[in-house]
Amino acid sequence: MTFSIVPDEDILEGKTTDIYFLRTEEVLREKGVNPDVVAEVTTTGRGWSVLAGLEDVAHLLEGKDVDVYAMSEGTIFFPYEPVLQIEGRYLEFARYETPLLGFLCHESGIVTKAARIKRLAGDVPVISFGTRRQHPALAAMIEKCAYLGGMNGVSCVAGAERIGLKPTGTMPHSLIICFGEGKQKEAWKAFDDVIAEEVPRICLCDTYYDEKAESILAAEALGDSLRAVRLDTPTTRKGDFKGIIEEVRWALDIRGYKNVGIFVSGGIGEAEVVELKDIVAGFGVGTSVANAKCIDFALDIIEKEGWPCAKRGKRGGKKQVYRSRGVIEEGKDEMKLAKEAPPEDMEPLLKPMIVKGKIVDEFSFSREEARARVQEQLKRVKL
Ligand code: PCP
């Protein structure tokens, strides 16, 4: 294996499972036990999250003799609401619990964090800078999820390609350092001279001198072609980052550079977005999204041979979740047994994704649709 990753075929074979599932298969097979079950994926905790990873789950289970119902990619959901249901003989999917949860936990975690940050940023652009914080084999997944959550661009070339975007970026400290201290203007001019003109001129202004001094130098060096300065102030120097940004803004404005934006990166999370969104032109966000806490989904059998069952802490019976068209709020959705009559004027969220092992044509994995779904729901969710 190159780069210590697992090839697709091992995932599809169920080799990335936990050993106790293979042992369970051995015991159930030996004893002739293989009940017809319904299993549901839910999470506990509080507050809203965004569902993602369904396309990978669909390809994992495609061809198995199961039916799968799921909420659409990009749906906001709440604790205890089933986001996915699998129906079939337990041995048909037992070993796939581990990879299935892996896809949903990891991808939903990144999309949820990206959505939280983008909602706070409002119209201020947020660019995903975080693939450097994770194993490179995950780059495309990370950037897909960051974009799905509403981020406006991604810096990773392979990730952008997979999404069908042009990658977005500025310049690293290494470019400035290669020209050397005192040669920052030469480095910025070289960038302006060499790089295709459609690439925005955003100069990194914190390598050797303080942010204000370098921002003034960059504006003098590039003049009207300068779109923005990037401040990536290291934590050892950050102090009052908002104060530094306001000082740079003042210094640029009084010199006639009111059109030069201030783009910030380095340790940007929800709190920094709230504090800085009114005075910056954009954010580069890495760790807080790429390394987002996963959503702790669990898969539980909740029906066996048509009868409700559940372990302690879980709710038995195959369910449906209904949502009204208005405000999305925890406790407002209606969760009922799937066999009960649906409530009036509410939409069922769980829809067929796989029928007898075949992915349902109507089930859409369109990234743009899912991204639009996230943004539409964020306007309705009561926080
Ligand atoms: C980092 C680089 C990343 C930013 C910060 C993400 O700065 O610019 O894109 O930071 P975060 O993960 O804390 O959100 P450096 O490490 O100084 O890298 P470079 O010189 O390449 O900008």
Side-chain angles (χ1 to χ4, degrees):
M1 283 187 287
T2 315
F3 303 120
S4 67
I5 59 167
V6 171
D8 284 1
E9 49 273 16
D10 284 8
I11 297 173
L12 286 165
E13 257 176 63
K15 278 178 79 175
T16 61
T17 191
D18 297 293
I19 183 64
Y20 68 3
F21 287 122
L22 299 188
R23 290 174 182 152
T24 298
E25 287 181 355
E26 197 180 335
V27 169
L28 294 181
R29 278 206 183 91
E30 182 61 28
K31 300 299 180 192
V33 175
N34 184 15
D36 201 27
V37 299
V38 179
E40 282 182 350
V41 174
T42 57
T43 183
T44 54
R46 304 294 309 158
W48 60 274
S49 303
V50 182
L51 178 63
L54 291 170
E55 187 169 9
D56 290 326
V57 169
H59 292 140
L60 179 74
L61 296 178
E62 190 176 22
K64 307 284 176 295
D65 184 13
V66 294
D67 293 340
V68 179
Y69 295 78
M71 292 184 181
S72 301
E73 186 91 347
T75 300
I76 283 182
F77 65 91
F78 296 98
Y80 301 103
E81 293 181 342
V83 296
L84 182 134
Q85 287 157 341
I86 307 176
E87 288 185 40
R89 294 272 162 207
Y90 178 63
L91 287 175
E92 197 61 26
F93 64 89
R95 65 172 65 185
Y96 295 103
E97 175 168 340
T98 309
L100 179 151
L101 289 176
F103 286 133
L104 295 178
C105 292
H106 199 170
E107 298 190 44
S108 300
I110 295 174
V111 176
T112 300
K113 190 65 166 178
R116 287 181 181 280
I117 284 195
K118 184 55 191 169
R119 182 184 67 80
L120 293 169
D123 295 334
V124 177
V126 184
I127 310 301
S128 169
F129 272 11
T131 38
R132 68 179 61 195
R133 306 297 185 213
Q134 292 282 353
H135 190 293
L138 298 178
M141 180 275 281
I142 291 165
E143 300 292 50
K144 172 195 80 170
C145 292
Y147 182 66
L148 237 170
M151 293 177 93
N152 302 85
V154 301
S155 64
C156 174
V157 175
E161 199 174 276
R162 284 289 298 271
I163 307 170
L165 294 179
K166 284 207 172 97
T168 306
T170 64
M171 58 179 69
H173 292 99
S174 55
L175 172 70
I176 316 294
I177 293 168
C178 287
F179 280 83
E181 184 166 353
K183 303 246 172 110
Q184 293 94 313
K185 280 192 170 182
E186 203 174 317
W188 299 320
K189 283 182 177 169
F191 183 97
D192 190 30
D193 181 38
V194 171
I195 297 300
E197 63 183 36
E198 67 266 17
V199 175
R201 270 55 181 150
I202 302 177
C203 292
L204 181 58
C205 291
D206 67 6
T207 308
Y208 291 109
Y209 310 155
D210 89 355
E211 295 78 0
K212 177 167 69 174
E214 291 207 3
S215 297
I216 294 167
L217 287 176
E220 289 166 353
L222 268 56
D224 292 342
S225 66
L226 182 65
R227 170 78 72 82
V229 293
R230 173 160 83 100
L231 308 183
D232 188 57
T233 309
T235 33
T236 51
R237 296 292 205 286
K238 221 159 213 158
D240 172 9
F241 194 32
K242 183 176 183 185
I244 292 171
I245 295 165
E246 289 169 334
E247 191 183 328
V248 171
R249 180 71 277 153
W250 176 270
L252 288 170
D253 290 355
I254 63 170
R255 289 169 175 78
Y257 300 117
K258 289 183 185 294
N259 293 334
V260 174
I262 298 174
F263 185 96
V264 295
S265 61
I268 303 292
E270 290 176 63
E272 291 73 19
V273 168
V274 172
E275 185 191 25
L276 304 175
K277 68 182 173 63
D278 296 331
I279 57 172
V280 299
F283 294 99
V285 178
T287 308
S288 63
V289 168
N291 204 29
K293 189 172 176 304
C294 78
I295 304 294
D296 61 345
F297 285 117
L299 177 79
D300 296 283
I301 296 175
I302 44 80
E303 205 167 276
K304 190 173 71 167
E305 303 297 358
W307 292 99
C309 62
K311 76 175 189 184
R312 290 177 321 120
K314 303 293 176 170
R315 304 174 190 182
K318 180 185 173 187
K319 305 168 195 68
Q320 178 58 270
V321 180
Y322 298 93
R323 180 165 292 168
S324 65
R325 285 171 183 68
V327 172
I328 298 173
E329 184 180 358
E330 189 160 7
K332 269 182 75 84
D333 291 344
E334 275 210 39
M335 188 161 79
K336 300 167 81 79
L337 287 178
K339 63 187 176 192
E340 288 176 322
E344 303 267 312
D345 298 334
M346 296 185 91
E347 184 208 356
L349 297 184
L350 290 157
K351 299 184 174 76
M353 179 168 88
I354 292 178
V355 175
K356 298 211 177 314
K358 190 177 173 309
I359 297 176
V360 171
D361 296 347
E362 297 74 51
F363 205 95
S364 158
F365 298 114
S366 148
R367 233 180 308 287
E368 291 307 328
E369 272 177 30
R371 189 170 186 267
R373 183 175 296 118
V374 175
Q375 297 314 310
E376 185 274 329
Q377 291 171 98
L378 287 179
K379 294 188 184 95
R380 291 166 50 199
V381 69
K382 190 168 180 326
L383 305 161

